[in-house]
Amino acid sequence: VAHVLVRLVLFTEGPAEALALARRYREDLPAEMEDARLGIEAFELSLILFGVVDPAESTRLERFRNPRLGEGPGAKMAIAIASVVWSQLDGSADECARLALASLEGGVLLGADPGYLGIGPITVLAWADRPEVTTAIDEALANAHKHGSLFAISGLHMWQGGANLRRGELGEAETVLPLAQSEFNLWSFGAGAGVYLNGFRAIVQLERGDLAAARASLAAVTDHPDDASDGTRFYDNARLAVAAVEGIPPEQLLQMAEAHATRHARVLNPAHNPWREYKIRALAKLDRHEEARELAEENLRLARHWGAPGTVGAAVRAMARVSDPGETLPYIEEAAAVLDGSTARLEQAKALTALGRALRAARRPTEAREPLQRAIELAEACGSERVREIARAELAASGARPRRTAVSGIASLTPSEDRVARLAAEGMTNREFAQELFVTPKTVEVHLSNAYRKLEIRS
């Protein structure tokens, strides 16, 4: 009952009320109920993410960084939140993913807490660029449908959209994020989820080349929250990304980045908190090169410690932006190499575009054409009109014309498109696909249409 009530209060009254209740229940539990106590403490410490628990309390989670802490639901909750908070601090992607997978193992966590701490490990796997995230989401959605939990399903769809964005599956993110919003609205939590959802949606729309839609998504959050919660940070990440693409004056971008850094100082990992990239860009434009390089070195050190290809690749590109002329190309080549074969396909397209630009600047236009063509194909597969157009312009400047046919074939399919195509080959109907994959028939139609196009199937 305590586990149910603290979650209910969190999402209907607020984090502060939930924290008070969790502390009271933890103190009231009899000594022999150790696993239940672990679960309540895990919930209590999860409120660090909502900005109502002192970040210094995260040291209490260190004892939970043990994948063999226990097999009960409380122990699994403790491992799960330890993986999430550690991933935002100074954990490595491998260490945090190991904990995340351990918390999900056996299905105990999903059975006990499908809509809250059961989702946490999925976010770790997504931002660690781990391929296991697809299976983890599928299993969590199946469990949520089995329990009939609209709350769990809506949260999972929101974070599935975030994972899609991280992997560069922009079309799928644009399908699932509005679905999550409609589900939140059904149980009257639409406003509470808005900072997450609109933050994710704004970046998806930005990468797809629709700046006006990205602005509209940000504007949909009418009262900008002035706190250090995770939701506010995701929203603020999007504000920085949109501002940078809009080309606001560097002084203004610098001010935004510094305010963001102050508000969200708790989160060190640039995978979760990429403000340094925007400050580096602003400092470089203001000719404050020494400051920009120092910050880029710090950013790269943190990214290498985390170790996920998408994060390292972005940090190496930021380092190239402020490096000496002779170092620029080696940094860009490293970024492209780190990302080759990773799940962070949109980040790979950006690195290949930067590589083509650097080769062209080094007066090697012929060598620039191959990475630029690959960037165009990857960007098209991801659904990123913005990156595709940048790469196309660079390719044209190299004296070449893009090949008429962009990326196609089985290798071009996203995981969801691949699953839908295989189910279609087995003779399933669209409605049967939807039931199998726990999505709407409209989502199936989008995936199937994309698969037809990429596989060059006409009917």
Side-chain angles (χ1 to χ4, degrees), residues 254 257 275-281 283 289-302 319 322:
L254 178 62
W275 64 267
R276 294 175 186 83
E277 292 179 28
Y278 301 101
K279 185 173 179 179
I280 291 162
R281 186 179 309 192
L283 289 170
H289 296 293
E290 187 174 338
E291 294 173 72
R293 185 176 179 100
E294 286 179 3
L295 186 59
E297 288 171 349
E298 176 191 336
N299 187 52
L300 183 55
R301 176 181 57 78
L302 291 168
M319 190 73 216
V322 295

Side-chain angles (χ1 to χ4, degrees), residues 27-347:
E27 291 168 0
D28 287 351
L29 281 171
E32 64 270 18
M33 296 186 71
E34 182 55 32
D35 188 70
R37 191 187 318 280
L38 280 176
I40 296 294
E41 186 173 7
F43 175 89
E44 177 188 336
L45 293 174
S46 77
L47 298 178
I48 290 171
L49 309 180
F50 288 80
V52 296
V53 171
D54 187 336
E57 293 289 301
S58 62
T59 56
R60 289 166 55 190
L61 287 164
E62 291 176 8
R63 72 185 193 280
F64 299 154
R65 297 176 190 171
N66 175 8
R68 292 179 291 278
L69 181 68
E71 296 301 320
K76 294 292 188 180
M77 292 173 195
I79 298 169
I81 192 57
S83 74
V84 174
V85 175
W86 198 16
S87 78
Q88 296 182 355
L89 298 176
D90 60 350
S92 72
D94 285 345
E95 292 169 324
C96 294
R98 179 171 57 91
L99 281 183
L101 291 168
S103 71
L104 293 170
E105 188 176 6
V108 174
L109 176 61
L110 289 177
D113 191 4
Y116 185 54
L117 290 178
I119 296 177
I122 290 171
T123 71
V124 174
L125 295 173
W127 269 258
D129 298 332
R130 293 291 290 249
E132 297 97 328
V133 69
T134 303
T135 301
I137 291 171
D138 286 347
E139 290 177 351
L141 279 170
N143 178 78
H145 278 269
K146 177 183 175 183
H147 285 80
S149 172
L150 176 63
F151 171 59
I153 292 162
S154 59
L156 283 163
H157 279 148
M158 180 176 78
W159 287 105
Q160 184 179 25
N164 289 147
L165 171 58
R166 178 74 185 180
R167 292 164 66 94
E169 297 164 355
L170 302 180
E172 296 184 18
E174 205 164 46
T175 299
V176 77
L177 289 171
L179 177 62
Q181 181 68 69
S182 66
E183 290 163 344
F184 281 126
N185 290 342
L186 284 173
W187 74 282
S188 304
F189 187 58
V195 284
Y196 291 95
L197 281 164
N198 287 288
F200 289 149
R201 288 191 77 182
I203 297 180
V204 169
Q205 290 157 340
L206 186 70
E207 296 292 5
R208 285 179 74 80
D210 194 343
L211 181 57
R215 290 191 187 113
S217 288
L218 293 178
V221 180
T222 53
D223 295 319
H224 179 263
D226 187 20
D227 59 37
S229 69
D230 269 21
T232 302
R233 176 169 44 79
F234 281 115
Y235 179 81
D236 287 348
N237 287 347
R239 290 177 69 229
L240 278 173
V242 170
V245 170
E246 284 179 320
I248 66 170
E251 297 88 352
Q252 189 178 345
L253 182 61
L254 178 62
Q255 187 178 28
M256 284 183 66
E258 289 178 340
H260 181 109
T262 300
R263 177 180 287 122
H264 304 293
R266 176 184 67 81
V267 180
L268 302 177
N269 186 348
H272 293 290
N273 198 10
W275 64 267
R276 294 175 186 83
E277 292 179 28
Y278 301 101
K279 185 173 179 179
I280 291 162
R281 186 179 309 192
L283 289 170
K285 287 184 177 180
L286 292 168
D287 294 326
R288 293 163 61 176
H289 296 293
E290 187 174 338
E291 294 173 72
R293 185 176 179 100
E294 286 179 3
L295 186 59
E297 288 171 349
E298 176 191 336
N299 187 52
L300 183 55
R301 176 181 57 78
L302 291 168
R304 289 196 198 283
H305 180 73
W306 174 240
T311 308
V312 175
V316 173
R317 281 197 301 112
M319 190 73 216
R321 184 186 290 273
V322 295
S323 62
D324 296 331
E327 299 175 312
T328 301
L329 183 56
Y331 275 126
I332 297 295
E333 288 174 331
E334 180 189 348
V338 164
L339 287 156
D340 190 32
S342 78
T343 61
R345 297 196 303 167
L346 182 56
E347 190 57 48

Side-chain angles (χ1 to χ4, degrees), residues 423-444:
L423 291 173
E426 294 173 8
M428 278 194 179
T429 66
N430 284 17
R431 184 165 295 280
E432 288 171 335
F433 295 159
Q435 292 172 346
E436 178 78 13
L437 300 175
F438 304 108
V439 295
T440 66
K442 178 64 177 175
T443 303
V444 171

